[in-house]
């Protein structure tokens, strides 16, 4: 079972560059989430989506954009990368059932230099 | 907006003893779920236990149990008979029950060390 797949696993960006973090899930989940986790810290919600075509901001959306054209895919776009965006990024998905657990990808370690 | 606070950045416990991790949350909603997730060094996120806001009975999963105090908005995790494999970051999380707005919000985490 693939579950939630994130690519790439590691990336180094130069200041001002842009990139897209890919996230795909094969569980037909309506809900998808993007988080960032700074070293030794908790997960901060960047954006989330309740279904194809619907996205909403989380706690720390500045500097990021998302789209949700299909149920399976939820890419995260970084425009004009800054050192403050150095972090580990996690994608997660969940069903409509509030009690259901969320499933996480393995994370993408991003360094901006 | 809903917030989750874990006031203990680090905790340590002797193997086989009991430890309690604290979590408080802020919400104006009546329908929600609370979760504890474990993150070992592999970075994988593992669900430990969950609690529905409407249930007064505290959830239990083997050595893991919660103390849910709805009025105080408190949701602590008790780990009994601690084992070396319990060493990890533990995150408290809140999920809104509102249809179409089921954000999943996490606390800052507590790093748990198990001393042999």
């Amino acid at each position: 079972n693939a579950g939630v797949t994130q690519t790439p696993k590691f990336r180094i960006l130069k200041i001002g560059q842009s990139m897209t973090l890919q996230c795909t899930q094969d569980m037909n989940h309506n809900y998808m989430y993007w988080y960032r986790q700074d070293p030794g810290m908790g997960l901060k919600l960047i954006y989330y989506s309740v279904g194809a075509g619907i996205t909403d901001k989380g706690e720390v959306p500045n500097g990021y954009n998302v789209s949700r054209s299909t149920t399976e895919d939820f890419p995260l776009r970084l425009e004009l990368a800054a050192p403050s965006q150095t972090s580990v990024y996690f994608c997660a998905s969940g069903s409509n059932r509030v009690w259901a657990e969320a499933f996480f990808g393995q994370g993408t370690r991003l360094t901006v230099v | 907006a809903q917030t989750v606070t874990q006031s203990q950045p680090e905790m340590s416990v002797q193997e086989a003893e009991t430890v309690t991790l604290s979590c408080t949350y802020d919400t104006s909603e009546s329908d929600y779920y609370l979760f504890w997730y474990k993150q070992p060094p592999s970075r994988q996120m593992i669900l430990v236990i969950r609690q529905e806001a409407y249930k007064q009975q505290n959830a239990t999963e083997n050595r893991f149990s919660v103390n849910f105090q709805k009025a105080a908005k408190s949701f602590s995790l008790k780990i009994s008979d601690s084992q070396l494999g319990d060493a990890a970051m533990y995150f408290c999380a809140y999920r809104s029950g509102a249809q179409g707005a089921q954000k999943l919000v996490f606390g800052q985490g507590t790093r748990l060390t198990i001393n042999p």
Side-chain angles (χ1 to χ4, degrees), chain A residues 1-22:
Chain A
N1 293 334
V4 178
T5 302
Q6 286 183 240
T7 56
K9 288 186 171 49
F10 304 93
R11 183 72 185 267
I12 299 175
L13 274 184
K14 293 185 177 179
I15 295 171
Q17 288 185 321
S18 300
M19 76 164 295
T20 299
L21 280 66
Q22 302 291 344

Side-chain angles (χ1 to χ4, degrees), chain A residues 31 33 35 37 40-43 45 48 50 88 90 95-102 104 106-109, chain B residues 33 35 37 39 43-45 47 50 89 91 95-109 111:
Chain A
Y31 281 83
Y33 309 88
Y35 296 91
Q37 184 179 25
M41 303 295 286
L43 282 77
L45 183 63
Y48 71 105
V50 304
V88 177
F90 286 96
S95 75
N96 288 345
R97 297 184 290 273
V98 182
W99 51 264
E101 69 178 290
F104 286 78
Q106 290 290 87
T108 297
R109 183 178 295 278
Chain B
Y33 261 80
F35 303 84
Y37 281 85
Q39 186 185 45
R43 295 202 316 232
Q44 182 184 7
M45 294 289 285
L47 177 66
R50 71 190 114 203
M89 283 286 285
F91 294 102
R95 191 178 188 194
S96 168
Q99 284 299 319
Q102 292 172 3
K103 289 194 293 186
L104 181 61
V105 179
F106 286 82
Q108 304 92 323
R111 182 176 301 280

Side-chain angles (χ1 to χ4, degrees), chain A residues 50-105:
Chain A
V50 304
I54 306 171
T55 62
D56 205 351
K57 296 178 181 179
E59 304 163 272
V60 289
N62 291 343
Y64 307 94
N65 278 300
V66 294
S67 60
R68 184 96 181 271
S69 57
T70 67
T71 299
E72 295 78 19
D73 300 309
F74 190 42
L76 177 71
R77 178 82 177 162
L78 279 72
E79 304 281 1
L80 298 175
S84 61
Q85 293 178 304
T86 294
S87 191
V88 177
Y89 291 83
F90 286 96
C91 178
S93 73
S95 75
N96 288 345
R97 297 184 290 273
V98 182
W99 51 264
E101 69 178 290
F103 291 85
F104 286 78

Side-chain angles (χ1 to χ4, degrees), chain B residues 63-74:
Chain B
R63 298 182 295 106
F64 299 87
S65 61
V66 300
N67 183 5
F68 175 47
Q69 302 289 327
K70 189 172 184 178
K73 296 181 181 175
S74 170

